[in-house]
Amino acid sequence: MIDTGTGPAVVLLHGFPHTERLWELVVPRLAEHHRVIAPELVAGGSAVELAARVAELLDGLGVERAALVGIDAGVQAALGFALRYPDRTERLAVMEAVLPGVAGAEAFAAGGLPWWFGFHQVPGLAETVLVGHEREYVDFFLRAGTADGAGIGRELTDAFAAAYTGGAALTAAFEHYRAMPRTADELAALTPQRLKLPVLAIGAHPVGQVLASQLATFADDLTSIQLENCGHLIPLDAPDRLLEALIPWLDGRLTSLGVAHPS
């Protein structure tokens, strides 16, 4: 876990197949004015289950309120926290995810969700097939998540792959996908209350503005930004552009602007 800096707390939540090191290029600047907390979130769960883990972590750190920033599977944790614990959530920033069971993603899902969603959801299958080939599998996603397809370098790839090596680690990770039906039910129960806090949705490739479209159905104060020529791994593929949006937004200087396109 990363816990560094002083000031208002910001919690960074990674997805699959990442570790907290996904954020290492943005943490130093964020930590200049914030307490930055980035837990390891390899083991999955539903939105409410993950939110409870985040709440327990913050309790242990003595943090009452925080801004939540999530990407990929970490979006479910961040959104679950904001909906379950609105009094503990300052702001919510989310990127590159599709919310299970929430309207607004129909066009994106028209041809079917990416193949790995189904592969990961079949109990016991993916981990059985992948044991012994974890690094190659993780590297596939890391290369696909960068705009130029080059991936994130050997050392960081090795670190990510190590977190997902072995049947037990893979089973825990695939719970992000196997819990999606539970998340859909949880969001159906929670989203009628609406999100009234400031929400920032950042799109890149391939999700783009889909997440913003979904959030627009229940978020009252939504800002949406699209990063062009940027892969799914925004904090590693375009850290400077992410910070150009995230820092002023955390400070309350980027709000309610609709759709913006930072260069």
Side-chain angles (χ1 to χ4, degrees), residues 225-230 237-245 259-263:
I225 292 174
Q226 175 70 22
L227 300 181
E228 305 298 339
N229 300 313
C230 177
D237 209 34
D240 291 338
R241 286 191 285 161
L242 173 58
L243 287 166
E244 285 175 8
V259 178
H261 299 274
S263 59

Side-chain angles (χ1 to χ4, degrees), residues 3-253:
D3 184 2
T4 185
T6 58
V10 178
V11 179
L12 308 178
L13 300 169
H14 68 80
F16 173 87
H18 324 139
T19 73
E20 66 273 21
R21 290 191 61 188
L22 178 75
W23 307 103
E24 65 182 19
L25 298 182
V26 301
V27 165
R29 282 189 58 194
L30 287 178
E32 291 175 4
H33 300 287
H34 296 85
R35 180 178 180 182
V36 181
I37 300 164
E40 179 267 294
L41 204 66
V42 170
S46 72
V48 167
E49 293 162 355
L50 293 171
R53 285 191 223 161
V54 174
E56 183 178 8
L57 170 68
L58 295 182
D59 288 343
L61 295 173
V63 176
E64 177 57 31
R65 291 177 60 84
L68 276 293
V69 179
I71 187 171
D72 190 78
V75 168
Q76 296 179 41
L79 179 60
F81 188 92
L83 289 167
R84 280 294 300 273
Y85 309 102
D87 292 341
R88 301 189 66 176
T89 311
E90 292 285 354
R91 291 168 170 267
L92 175 68
V94 289
M95 56 196 97
E96 283 295 289
V98 179
L99 300 173
V102 177
E106 291 79 10
F108 182 82
L113 291 172
W115 60 266
W116 56 85
F117 278 67
F119 180 49
H120 293 169
Q121 286 176 333
V122 179
L125 175 62
E127 50 267 59
T128 301
V129 172
L130 294 171
V131 167
H133 301 281
E134 294 94 337
R135 191 189 189 283
E136 294 92 334
Y137 195 62
V138 167
D139 188 50
F140 165 81
F141 287 98
L142 301 181
R143 291 183 182 276
T146 51
D148 61 4
I152 61 174
R154 179 178 296 275
E155 189 273 333
L156 195 50
T157 297
D158 287 345
F160 281 15
Y164 294 88
T165 294
L170 289 170
T171 296
F174 294 144
E175 190 60 20
H176 282 299
Y177 296 85
R178 294 167 188 170
M180 283 183 173
R182 299 200 302 275
T183 291
D185 290 342
E186 291 165 358
L187 295 180
L190 289 169
T191 51
Q193 72 189 44
R194 302 193 66 81
L195 279 174
K196 299 187 181 299
L197 51 82
V199 180
L200 174 65
I202 303 176
H205 177 80
V207 177
Q209 291 293 300
V210 176
L211 180 55
S213 296
Q214 291 184 293
L215 290 167
T217 64
F218 61 92
D220 291 339
D221 184 2
L222 176 65
T223 299
S224 175
I225 292 174
Q226 175 70 22
L227 300 181
E228 305 298 339
N229 300 313
C230 177
H232 182 68
L233 300 176
I234 296 173
L236 293 173
D237 209 34
D240 291 338
R241 286 191 285 161
L242 173 58
L243 287 166
E244 285 175 8
L246 196 55
I247 288 175
W249 182 78
L250 287 170
D251 293 341
R253 293 182 285 115

